[in-house]
Amino acid sequence: MGDDQSVTPLTYALLLAGTVSYTCLMFSWFSLPAYLSLLIEEFGLTGSQAGLLAGAVPLTYIPIALFSGVVVDRFGPFNSLAVSVGLVGVAQVGRSAATGYPSLLAFTFVLGIGGTGITFGLPKLVSNLFPSGRTGFPSSVYLLGASAGTAGAFAVGRPILGPVLGGWRPLFYYTGLFALGYAVVLGVGALLRPAAGRAASASEFSLDSMRRDLSAIVRHRDLLLVVAIGTMYLLVLHGMQGWLPTVLESRGAAPGRAGRATGLLVAANAAGVLLVPAVTDRVGHLRVAIGVCGVAIATGVATVALTGIGAVLTAGVVATGLGVGGLAPLVRVIPPELDGIGSARTGTAVALVFAVGEVGGFLGPLLIGTFRDLTASFVPGLALLAVGGLVVILAGRALPSVDD
């Protein structure tokens, strides 16, 4: 783990390089939900099929996240980021040429595989570059990069770039090419092998060392509570970002307005990413911060479910974004601070949070689509997301060691 003396301008340059990888991932990922209503029409998708498509990336995390996290811990963060961004680019170019639902779904799974290396590589990079107690701000930086990618897909990709380029296929194609080019840039950085981004030594690749890490991780009580919080965070995040434009369009909003509203959700998410860690670092009481985020999520999603288009719905969107954004850095920053985990096991620990948590990330979009098919309403699915906020409150109250 880094120390105060090792934090240099190069440290922040490496952080920014990693941050752009997250921007590439999230723009590519959410360019599909931004066009979901159009894809439903073009490919004749049912609500369940659309929900599976919107939830395909988090579904990918469930079977491979732990393996990916172990690989990141041993392969090194910069190597992992270079390969992963390359996979994102391949997937996005492939989706641009999709001939039907199966090929579109298959390439979305490929994007998810690339996404795991970015999701776990960045916390590993931060834990290598920055000293304990100073990881909150750099974690907020790369999460802001993620928010910029998501917001760009909804607020710029669909209403501006898509029409300029000629539709969703050219948009996917050119953004995929950009990701491939950036993967080359990261590959050059990996070849330079800066100290913070090196792979583990050969001895650390043994099956015994992997088994010890996994055993320590899966039996850690406090980490399992973080897993519960992460599951609800991802349930709401992917459910809302995957379906909010379609929900609003079903209420009569124009695609541009629906996209801007989802961009507002992402902007509020970014505000939560910045504010919650900063306030928590200053005043402590991490459990209170988790509880406040849970309250914001529960009330915000319930407001979206039960109101029409207008100022009240906007307030619900903002509250949801703030709550989800506040949890985003916390579920990544807490694991390396727990006894028995530290920097060496950060990739594996965060991978467990997402391996289980992405069950929620997958179910969020799927449940909304499925209940829409069964009830002809988005309200039941959104109500389940609101319950996720209550689970966050309870899990946070049971997490005492983080305030020690």
Side-chain angles (χ1 to χ4, degrees):
M1 184 176 291
D3 54 40
D4 289 335
Q5 289 73 32
S6 67
V7 177
T8 67
L10 176 60
T11 303
Y12 286 101
L14 293 172
L15 173 64
L16 291 176
T19 296
V20 175
S21 71
Y22 221 161
T23 304
C24 290
L25 168 64
M26 301 308 281
F27 188 98
S28 299
W29 180 340
F30 285 99
S31 58
L32 188 146
Y35 274 96
L36 188 58
S37 61
L38 187 150
L39 295 173
I40 289 172
E41 181 179 350
E42 180 171 335
F43 292 106
L45 306 180
T46 66
S48 296
Q49 287 177 320
L52 177 58
L53 190 59
V57 174
L59 178 62
T60 307
Y61 279 58
I62 298 169
I64 72 168
L66 275 176
F67 173 77
S68 180
V70 170
V71 169
V72 166
D73 277 338
R74 286 155 175 79
F75 192 50
F78 242 72
N79 294 314
S80 302
L81 292 174
V83 173
S84 299
V85 174
L87 285 174
V88 169
V90 168
Q92 190 74 333
V93 171
R95 295 200 301 186
S96 75
T99 57
Y101 178 69
S103 57
L104 190 62
L105 182 63
F107 279 113
T108 302
F109 282 133
V110 174
L111 190 148
I113 294 171
T116 63
I118 297 170
T119 301
F120 312 140
L122 284 167
K124 178 71 173 182
L125 183 67
V126 166
S127 69
N128 281 7
L129 294 175
F130 294 87
S132 177
R134 290 185 57 188
T135 59
F137 172 72
S139 297
S140 294
V141 169
Y142 72 68
L143 286 170
L144 285 177
S147 296
T150 306
F154 288 114
V156 179
R158 172 73 190 268
I160 299 174
L161 288 180
V164 169
L165 294 173
W168 67 272
R169 291 184 186 274
L171 175 69
F172 283 27
Y173 177 75
Y174 286 111
T175 54
L177 286 184
F178 178 86
L180 286 170
Y182 193 66
V184 173
V185 173
L186 290 174
V188 173
L191 290 175
L192 296 177
R193 289 190 175 274
R198 287 178 181 164
S201 66
S203 64
E204 293 175 299
F205 281 84
S206 69
L207 290 176
D208 284 344
S209 71
M210 294 182 185
R211 193 178 299 112
R212 285 195 303 271
D213 283 358
L214 289 173
S215 177
I217 291 298
V218 300
R219 294 184 298 171
H220 200 293
R221 174 191 175 276
D222 287 354
L223 181 63
L224 295 180
L225 290 171
V226 179
V227 168
I229 295 168
T231 301
M232 297 301 103
Y233 150 67
L234 291 164
L235 177 87
V236 177
L237 175 68
H238 295 310
M240 288 293 287
Q241 289 183 346
W243 277 101
L244 185 58
T246 305
V247 169
L248 298 183
E249 288 179 33
S250 74
R251 297 177 183 177
R257 182 175 181 181
R260 287 190 295 273
T262 308
L264 179 62
L265 173 70
V266 178
N269 186 307
V273 165
L274 281 175
L275 292 174
V276 172
V279 173
T280 303
D281 286 347
R282 181 176 294 272
V283 303
H285 306 295
L286 184 53
R287 284 185 296 166
V288 174
I290 293 171
V292 170
C293 290
V295 170
I297 289 169
T299 57
V301 176
T303 299
V304 172
L306 300 175
T307 60
I309 298 171
V312 176
L313 180 137
T314 299
V317 168
V318 171
T320 303
L322 288 171
V324 172
L327 291 180
L330 299 183
V331 298
R332 292 165 168 87
V333 169
I334 292 173
E337 301 297 330
L338 296 175
D339 292 339
I341 296 178
S343 176
R345 292 171 172 166
T346 294
T348 308
V350 176
L352 179 65
V353 173
F354 282 84
V356 179
E358 288 294 5
V359 174
F362 166 67
L363 288 177
L366 181 62
L367 289 173
I368 292 175
T370 300
F371 277 102
R372 175 68 175 83
D373 286 344
L374 294 175
T375 67
S377 172
F378 288 110
V379 172
L382 291 172
L384 289 175
L385 266 60
V387 171
L390 303 180
V391 176
V392 169
I393 297 170
L394 295 175
R397 286 176 59 86
L399 192 64
S401 67
V402 295
D403 284 331
D404 290 348

